[in-house]
Amino acid sequence: MTQLKEQPTELPAELPAQAAPVTTIPALPASKVVPAPLGVFTRPQGKHGWKSWLFTVDHKRIGIMYGAAAMVFLVVGGVEALLIRLQLAQPGSELLGASTYNQIFTMHGVTMVFLVVMPLAAAFANYLIPLQIGARDVAFPRLNAFSLWCFLAGGIFLNTSWFLGGAPDGGWFGYLPNAGVTFSPSHGMDFYAIGLQITGVASLVSAINLIVTVINMRAPGMTLFRMPVLTWMLTIVQFLLLFAIPVITVALFFMMFDRLFDANFFNVAAGADPLLWQHLFWIFGHPEVYILILPAFGIISEVIPTFSRKPIFGYSFMVFSGILIGFMGWGVWAHHMFTSGLGPISVTAFSLSTMFIAVPTGVKILNWLATMWGGNLRFPTPMLFAVGAVGMFTIGGLSGVTHAVAPADTQQHDTYYIVAHFHYVIFGGALLGLLAGVYFWWPKVFGHRLGERLGKANFWTVLIGFNLTFGPMHILGLQGMSRRIPTYTPEDGFTFWNLIATLGAFVIAVGMLLLFINIFASRRAASRRPAPGPDPWDARSLEWMVASPVPEHNFDEIPIVQSQDEWWHRKYETQPDGNSVKTAAVAELAQKGDAKGVHLPSPSYWPLVLALGLPFIGYGLIFNLWFLVLGVGLVLVAIYGWILEPPDDPEAVHEHHDDDHGNNGHGDGGGAGDDSHETNGQGDSEHISMNGEYAALNGAPQG
Amino acid sequence: MARSARRTTPMPIPQLPNSDGGAPERRRLVQPAKIKALAALSLGVLILLLAGCASEHPLDSLTADAGPSSERITNLFWPILIVAIIILILVEGAIIYMIRRFKAQRRAEDSGTAMAGDPYDPDNPTELLVGEPLPPQTHGNLRLEIAWTIIPTIILAVIAGFTLVAIFDLEEVTASEDSLRVTVVGQQWWWEFQYHTDGNTDSPPDFVTAGELVIPVGQQVPLEITSRDVIHSYWIPQLIGKKDGVPGRYHDWLIEASRPGRYLGACTEFCGLAHGYMRMYTIALPATDWNDWAANQRQPVTPLNPGEVGYEGQELFLANCARCHSISGLTDTNGDDQTDDPSIYSGGDPVHDQLVAGAAPDLTHMMSRATFAGATYNLYEDRGEDVDYQDLAQLGEFNAAELENWISNAPGNKPGDWEAGRGMPPFPNLTNADVDALVEYLRTLT
């Protein structure tokens, strides 16, 4: 690599024409003229309109679309939740019927886990990781777009099952043999097995992409231990995804083969042991819990210091406890199986490991409290959500310890006590934390704040509704109410708290409605409100030094990082007496976002086309092989298109100094990758182009 | 503002208690007495919430234990729950304390400077935090952090110790090799109990019942839990936690009741359409009563002859029901056991037999049970908890309506997929008179 850096002349001929560092279209040297690409192989143009969103490879637009899709699915999953609560409001209800009820609670779980919390976290990961590490984009922008469309394809594919013979009805955990074709003869579980494989591809691709981004593309001086805690937590999540998704993919593949092709992976009569599925599912499923919660932990770790006006307490403890959770998360899966018949030795081992994973988690909670201690606390909406998430997650964490005690778990397993527990973790912890992030970064992303009054109403309504819904479920569980039952009898004594829980669910619905009202109302009010400026919260990390909304090229000039909380330290200076004083105005320090001619990756058609092919392969496997032909065709065309499309738009104006190759003043990584160059057939070409990018960055107009 | 008037002295960051020396007037954020009252109140409310006698919450796992195992679990669980609640109160208390104590507005009042508006007001943000002194920029405290890593570890280690002992205690078999053992078989959506009174589960069972497991009081009964189709979970909250019945696997479990009674259970592993309708009772009888009960269960029924009460129903049973339901002792006109050959209901595919619920509950001595259809419906009016099950009269009047309703249209009562052999089919061919005759026959199965 070093060699190549010094030998720019060996750059492959397909590299884009080298433009002069001015904004006029240069005459291209004859030897470097790129032949005009064939029709469809030109890259899409245009920065505005819906097409520019469909073909974008900009990590920010992709992040926004991840978030928007997650919000849509949140409504879908929320309506499913309300139907569940309506069904359970009274004993003996016949509102839905068992078959529909089974489909609804299955899809509620699948939707909330795979289509709401994970993509919402992916939204933050996509949008913020490059900004927080001082990069122009992710390492592989087209793969990033592919992740988004793949997730969306999988999510829509799963939900089309409602109209194609019935949704999955075997529970989100899909235990076999109950989810096998004998006992679940509708196509629902086929949609589950294939749909989750598709969203799994999205997560896996995205994980690799973001890991490469974090490892290779940090700004100069941004060492790993200067990265914001959020970026750390998101990176840990990407590693968890990288190792967990293959496990569930294998399991889903087995299930698919059992169901569609009469394989015998889980056929008891042919000698299979159904516990295989449980192990595979939960080896994925428990790290998945941390995949859901760690992004929220990261967000909380950004929001609380900002509004306490103190640095995070114990940065390295926070980071290492996150890493430790990431490691220990792999050793606790069988606590989902304490009643499955593992034998006392296994049960003991997993009982103990589950208890001790509470230690790093507890450290995080105490460090957040210590961050707040002695701070100057202010409570705008993001802080309310963050502190609310800490409070609610604590309840979920503690109830988690009570059923880490395996004998107690034999009483609580698969009762509403567990339902209460994981909703306190996933809703109270993860979703509230993510909503804190929504309020916190909204001005950065959209250039206007969300309303405070509606925001606070949103928070309090959701918090009250949440506790009304899930608090009573602890009691219902201890009173013996099983999970996943469509109804109960008046003699069971579950009536009162179920009614309260249903009321609570509708309070949550009202609270969430306030969020959406706030989003639209704030958008309308944006013009008459003062612009938030680059740094509306007096925050700490690099994304707050660029304009709001973030310009397409992120940074006019890649910042050189000298400390943790780099942006904060640029604004504040520590005096000899130990006090920090704001020494410079944000307006002077922040970048204007007016850099011209920064070379950015071009949009592409092919990520969308490639993702579009996958659900058709799914329909083909389920219904008719002609769909399969169509799907495979789309995938093949997209792969060829991906490879053959020109590395760049030859007419685009950009700066690219040949001379600057090898004149790379930065340390490891950094700069924006343009994965269009990965098409030129050489393994190292990505690096070459990245170094080229560096050059472009250095050559970009500064200030 | 009246509140700020009382706080004329700036409040230092509390390092340790009493560091502020003086200011006796200073309002404490929360009075200790209040804390105690609050704690007592919340504990009281909690106990009230959780309590409730067994008849109101027949599946309650915490307040109405009737067996040594469930007691052991409850005794393990309560202290842990209380520790968890104390930690919860401490953490939430700390959050609430800090919100009140360190609110920027209050600190401004304390230091005598007025807050210059709200920098985060979207409509009118004041310039951000100009001149506001920053709080001490603490980056961490290694000793503190190590302390709050070690303290939870110690608490958890103690909990882990008790847990470990309990796990192995609960596995301890005290029953002798040749005492009663029961094979518990889950099936969509009811439970079968195969009694091995000699403790030998390899031999054919002495008798088979469904829906209700009857055990002698004060005797540990080892169970062997399995399933014929999907995964089910056997759970009698007042006696013992749950254990899954997994097809192809036999899970050992121990059940014991320390007092006579009738204990409700529910299947707790999602098992398909009628998962919510898959209930079971465990009934604990004094040893002598149990012996009488078992002696009765062992007896095959005598086929009725023409002219006897119920004969008509017996013929209808043989024509419509014996395809799936066994009655020990019932033979056809040739003297062949009607229900020996599973091929009569499945076309002779033994794999299919085992995996699809084709067989239905054994109805020998059906009337000695209080419930039917996966313990979902009552045979008798009374659902009392403490009746002597030898005296069926105590169960109250026979409740014909639910049974008749069930026989004529089972799928209308309990979800199922009878076309796929899962769940009882409807019998539109039976007239009301036929159903009456069938019920009359079933009533002879005492």
Side-chain angles (χ1 to χ4, degrees):
Chain A
M1 188 187 94
T2 320
Q3 260 188 342
L4 284 173
K5 242 195 261 175
E6 288 158 2
Q7 297 171 355
T9 48
E10 284 192 14
L11 285 173
E14 293 91 343
L15 263 185
Q18 309 300 317
V22 281
T23 53
T24 51
I25 298 170
L28 301 172
S31 63
K32 296 209 174 182
V33 164
V34 180
L38 297 166
V40 292
F41 293 122
T42 52
R43 298 188 78 147
Q45 311 279 327
K47 305 257 180 215
H48 305 286
W50 58 274
K51 278 190 202 161
S52 69
W53 285 86
L54 284 184
F55 307 129
T56 188
V57 295
D58 177 357
H59 73 101
K60 296 179 291 297
R61 287 184 161 203
I62 289 168
I64 292 169
M65 285 191 279
Y66 258 116
M71 285 296 170
V72 171
F73 284 122
L74 178 68
V75 173
V76 174
V79 168
E80 283 155 2
L82 291 180
L83 287 171
I84 292 173
R85 285 315 321 164
L86 273 179
Q87 165 74 19
L88 292 176
Q90 288 292 311
S93 166
E94 285 172 11
L95 181 71
L96 298 176
S99 171
T100 315
Y101 182 82
N102 291 352
Q103 294 170 40
I104 286 180
F105 80 67
T106 302
M107 281 306 284
H108 168 71
V110 170
T111 303
M112 288 304 190
V113 169
F114 293 98
L115 308 181
V116 177
V117 178
M118 281 174 76
L120 205 49
F124 286 104
N126 272 291
Y127 200 98
L128 292 174
I129 285 182
L131 285 167
Q132 288 205 326
I133 61 173
R136 287 250 157 86
D137 206 317
V138 293
F140 309 109
R142 286 186 300 177
L143 280 182
N144 206 22
F146 173 64
S147 297
L148 167 75
W149 298 119
C150 201
F151 143 70
L152 211 53
I156 293 171
F157 175 80
L158 267 167
N159 276 286
T160 55
S161 63
W162 288 110
F163 313 105
L164 297 171
D169 59 359
W172 91 283
F173 61 117
Y175 271 17
L176 290 141
N178 188 45
V181 74
T182 315
F183 299 102
S184 176
S186 82
H187 282 303
M189 291 313 284
D190 299 328
F191 277 95
Y192 167 93
I194 296 166
L196 291 187
Q197 284 181 65
I198 297 175
T199 62
V201 170
S203 299
L204 202 53
V205 169
S206 176
I208 293 168
N209 199 349
L210 292 173
I211 288 171
V212 174
T213 305
V214 168
I215 291 179
N216 281 333
M217 298 181 66
R218 280 168 284 123
M222 178 60 85
T223 60
L224 286 175
F225 281 89
R226 285 178 186 164
M227 294 198 310
V229 178
L230 173 61
T231 293
W232 256 112
M233 293 305 124
L234 289 170
T235 308
I236 294 166
V237 166
Q238 306 314 315
F239 276 101
L240 289 178
L241 283 167
L242 183 63
F243 297 119
I245 295 290
V247 183
I248 186 72
T249 305
V250 166
L252 292 167
F253 195 78
F254 285 176
M255 179 194 260
M256 182 177 86
F257 264 66
D258 265 18
R259 291 186 55 97
L260 296 173
F261 309 120
D262 292 330
N264 287 320
F265 292 107
F266 304 109
N267 183 353
V268 179
D273 186 339
L275 257 55
L276 173 64
W277 169 268
Q278 299 188 15
H279 282 292
L280 289 175
F281 187 83
W282 292 118
I283 288 174
F284 151 79
H286 203 81
E288 171 72 16
V289 173
Y290 299 104
I291 289 167
L292 299 177
I293 193 70
L294 285 178
F297 282 2
I299 288 169
I300 293 167
S301 305
E302 300 293 308
V303 172
I304 286 185
T306 300
F307 297 109
S308 305
R309 305 185 56 68
K310 282 178 64 195
I312 188 88
F313 189 90
Y315 171 88
S316 48
F317 259 69
M318 288 305 248
V319 170
F320 277 108
S321 61
I323 294 172
L324 197 59
I325 290 172
F327 271 107
M328 292 177 76
W330 293 95
V332 298
W333 80 86
H335 69 219
H336 297 268
M337 303 166 61
F338 281 157
T339 68
S340 298
L342 294 176
I345 302 292
S346 310
V347 166
T348 307
F350 283 97
S351 187
L352 299 192
S353 65
T354 304
M355 281 177 203
F356 288 108
I357 202 168
V359 173
T361 319
V363 165
K364 278 190 170 290
I365 291 173
L366 291 169
N367 275 22
W368 288 323
L369 298 188
T371 306
M372 287 169 70
W373 185 267
N376 251 15
L377 306 186
R378 280 186 171 79
F379 289 92
T381 313
M383 182 67 164
L384 285 178
F385 272 103
V387 175
V390 174
M392 294 304 106
F393 176 79
T394 305
I395 298 177
L398 286 168
S399 66
V401 174
T402 63
H403 42 249
V405 178
D409 185 67
T410 63
Q411 290 282 20
Q412 294 148 8
H413 182 75
D414 272 343
T415 69
Y416 267 77
Y417 191 82
I418 305 293
V419 179
H421 157 72
F422 70 73
H423 279 96
Y424 269 88
V425 172
I426 294 176
F427 189 146
L431 193 61
L432 291 188
L434 290 165
L435 287 176
V438 168
Y439 275 91
F440 190 60
W441 279 286
W442 196 273
K444 177 52 58 192
V445 176
F446 296 105
H448 63 266
R449 299 171 201 250
L450 287 174
E452 274 297 299
R453 198 176 299 171
L454 273 170
K456 282 177 175 145
N458 172 206
F459 169 74
W460 287 111
T461 323
V462 168
L463 189 79
I464 291 167
F466 168 76
N467 280 292
L468 269 182
T469 309
F470 300 108
M473 288 186 187
H474 290 111
I475 300 165
L476 282 172
L478 294 174
Q479 286 174 348
M481 183 163 166
S482 294
R483 289 172 76 175
R484 307 180 178 114
I485 55 172
T487 190
Y488 51 93
T489 70
E491 292 84 18
D492 291 332
F494 304 148
T495 312
F496 177 72
W497 289 117
N498 268 304
L499 187 61
I500 298 290
T502 300
L503 289 176
F506 280 88
V507 176
I508 296 176
V510 171
M512 287 300 181
L513 197 62
L514 291 175
L515 171 67
F516 292 109
I517 292 174
N518 198 357
I519 287 172
F520 288 106
S522 305
R523 193 184 153 86
R524 293 187 63 177
S527 55
R528 56 182 165 76
R529 281 180 177 154
D535 186 20
W537 312 112
D538 199 14
R540 315 182 73 87
S541 42
L542 286 180
E543 72 270 28
W544 303 103
M545 73 178 292
V546 300
S548 310
V550 181
E552 195 188 357
H553 59 270
N554 290 1
F555 296 94
D556 293 343
E557 183 191 341
I558 297 297
I560 303 210
V561 177
Q562 286 164 328
S563 61
Q564 265 171 38
D565 292 337
E566 172 69 17
W567 172 234
W568 173 269
H569 287 291
R570 290 187 184 203
K571 294 182 290 184
Y572 287 84
E573 199 169 85
T574 311
Q575 307 284 24
D577 61 0
N579 287 330
S580 293
V581 174
K582 202 164 188 175
T583 51
V586 169
E588 294 162 23
L589 292 170
Q591 296 186 348
K592 304 283 182 292
D594 53 4
K596 291 279 183 299
V598 179
H599 177 82
L600 290 168
S602 298
S604 172
Y605 302 108
W606 305 111
L608 178 61
V609 177
L610 182 51
L612 211 58
L614 299 179
F616 284 104
I617 294 177
Y619 292 127
L621 290 171
I622 296 173
F623 295 112
N624 187 319
L625 288 179
W626 286 110
F627 285 117
L628 189 81
V629 173
L630 175 65
V632 171
L634 278 172
V635 167
L636 284 177
V637 167
I639 289 173
Y640 274 96
W642 192 305
I643 297 169
L644 292 178
E645 74 179 334
D648 207 343
D649 167 14
E651 287 179 7
V653 177
H654 58 258
E655 320 220 344
H656 222 86
H657 302 253
D658 225 353
D659 304 346
D660 281 343
H661 290 294
N663 183 19
N664 179 353
H666 306 326
D668 58 340
D674 179 350
D675 73 336
S676 56
H677 298 313
E678 78 198 24
T679 56
N680 54 23
Q682 287 193 13
D684 270 347
S685 60
E686 181 80 10
H687 258 295
I688 295 167
S689 75
M690 255 196 236
N691 292 324
E693 271 323 303
Y694 259 135
L697 301 178
N698 290 339
Q702 304 193 350
Chain B
M1 279 166 72
R3 281 178 62 199
S4 57
R6 263 186 287 168
R7 281 191 241 114
T8 46
T9 47
M11 283 215 300
I13 309 294
Q15 304 294 340
L16 282 168
N18 303 328
S19 65
D20 52 349
E25 285 264 293
R26 192 165 66 87
R27 180 174 58 94
R28 297 185 82 127
L29 285 155
V30 189
Q31 305 289 343
K34 261 194 199 166
I35 295 176
K36 274 183 205 161
L38 260 175
L41 187 73
S42 44
L43 202 67
V45 169
L46 182 86
I47 289 170
L48 266 180
L49 291 179
L50 295 177
C53 53
S55 62
E56 279 170 20
H57 304 292
L59 288 163
D60 189 304
S61 62
L62 213 51
T63 56
D65 298 321
S69 295
S70 59
E71 272 170 33
R72 183 83 172 76
I73 293 170
T74 302
N75 292 339
L76 180 69
F77 179 68
W78 267 116
I80 294 168
L81 186 65
I82 288 168
V83 169
I85 288 171
I86 291 170
I87 294 172
L88 178 69
I89 290 171
L90 288 177
V91 172
E92 307 290 346
I95 293 174
I96 292 166
Y97 174 83
M98 286 194 288
I99 289 173
R100 302 181 58 161
R101 176 75 178 75
F102 299 117
K103 217 172 181 171
Q105 190 181 359
R106 174 153 178 197
R107 295 178 68 112
E109 287 165 8
D110 286 344
S111 60
T113 53
M115 288 267 290
D118 179 2
Y120 301 139
D121 177 3
D123 289 313
N124 186 23
T126 54
E127 199 189 334
L128 201 57
L129 314 164
V130 176
E132 182 181 287
L134 281 181
Q137 301 289 295
T138 332
H139 282 271
N141 181 329
L142 194 61
R143 279 158 76 182
L144 212 54
E145 286 167 86
I146 288 173
W148 64 49
T149 308
I150 289 176
I151 293 170
T153 311
I154 293 171
I155 296 175
L156 286 165
V158 173
I159 293 176
F162 285 109
T163 303
L164 199 147
V165 175
I167 289 171
F168 286 91
D169 277 1
L170 288 169
E171 298 273 340
E172 197 184 336
V173 183
T174 55
S176 64
E177 284 284 309
D178 55 356
S179 69
L180 172 69
R181 266 159 215 267
V182 182
T183 303
V184 178
V185 188
Q187 189 165 341
Q188 285 181 327
W189 290 277
W190 55 281
W191 292 93
E192 179 173 286
F193 304 103
Q194 302 169 356
Y195 288 75
H196 306 274
T197 47
D198 58 356
N200 179 6
T201 49
D202 294 332
S203 61
D206 299 303
F207 54 89
V208 177
T209 71
E212 298 178 2
L213 170 67
V214 183
I215 56 169
V217 165
Q219 181 184 330
Q220 189 188 55
V221 179
L223 306 178
E224 204 182 63
I225 301 175
T226 185
S227 165
R228 282 205 189 99
D229 40 38
V230 302
I231 301 173
H232 303 279
S233 197
Y234 192 77
W235 181 41
I236 308 291
Q238 282 174 261
L239 299 181
I240 181 74
K242 55 193 72 76
K243 183 73 97 182
D244 289 359
V246 180
R249 295 172 68 98
Y250 291 85
H251 293 151
D252 293 326
W253 206 220
L254 300 161
I255 198 164
E256 181 175 351
S258 40
R259 59 171 193 265
R262 187 158 179 255
Y263 307 105
L264 183 59
C267 172
T268 35
E269 188 60 81
F270 175 59
C271 59
L273 287 168
H275 169 55
Y277 300 76
M278 187 169 170
R279 295 290 181 86
M280 59 282 199
Y281 279 96
T282 292
I283 293 156
L285 297 178
T288 49
D289 291 348
W290 188 85
N291 288 334
D292 294 346
W293 174 86
N296 181 42
Q297 297 293 319
R298 245 185 265 263
Q299 296 300 318
V301 303
T302 321
L304 300 174
N305 293 314
E308 285 183 276
V309 174
Y311 174 75
E312 239 175 274
Q314 176 184 290
E315 293 309 296
L316 283 166
F317 185 91
L318 285 173
N320 292 286
C321 318
R323 207 163 152 249
C324 302
H325 289 285
S326 344
I327 290 179
S328 165
L330 189 64
T331 51
D332 65 10
T333 42
N334 301 329
D336 296 329
D337 192 321
Q338 273 291 333
T339 51
D340 254 5
D341 178 9
S343 66
I344 61 174
Y345 53 79
S346 70
D349 168 9
V351 173
H352 203 62
D353 281 348
Q354 286 303 305
L355 291 181
V356 177
D362 187 303
L363 295 183
T364 323
H365 306 292
M366 178 186 180
M367 285 297 132
S368 70
R369 306 167 201 163
T371 54
F372 65 96
T376 315
Y377 299 102
N378 295 322
L379 276 175
Y380 300 96
E381 298 287 353
D382 188 15
R383 238 184 141 155
E385 298 300 314
D386 298 312
V387 289
D388 171 2
Y389 285 85
Q390 283 312 288
D391 187 356
L392 293 180
Q394 279 194 27
L395 286 167
E397 282 293 299
F398 175 69
N399 176 0
E402 285 189 354
L403 186 57
E404 284 168 4
N405 198 5
W406 176 256
I407 292 171
S408 45
N409 183 17
N413 290 283
K414 181 170 170 172
D417 185 5
W418 59 271
E419 281 150 318
R422 305 186 290 136
M424 181 157 143
F427 286 92
N429 58 320
L430 294 178
T431 62
N432 285 347
D434 291 344
V435 174
D436 288 345
L438 268 171
V439 170
E440 193 176 46
Y441 169 65
L442 292 175
R443 290 199 69 181
T444 67
L445 303 171
T446 51

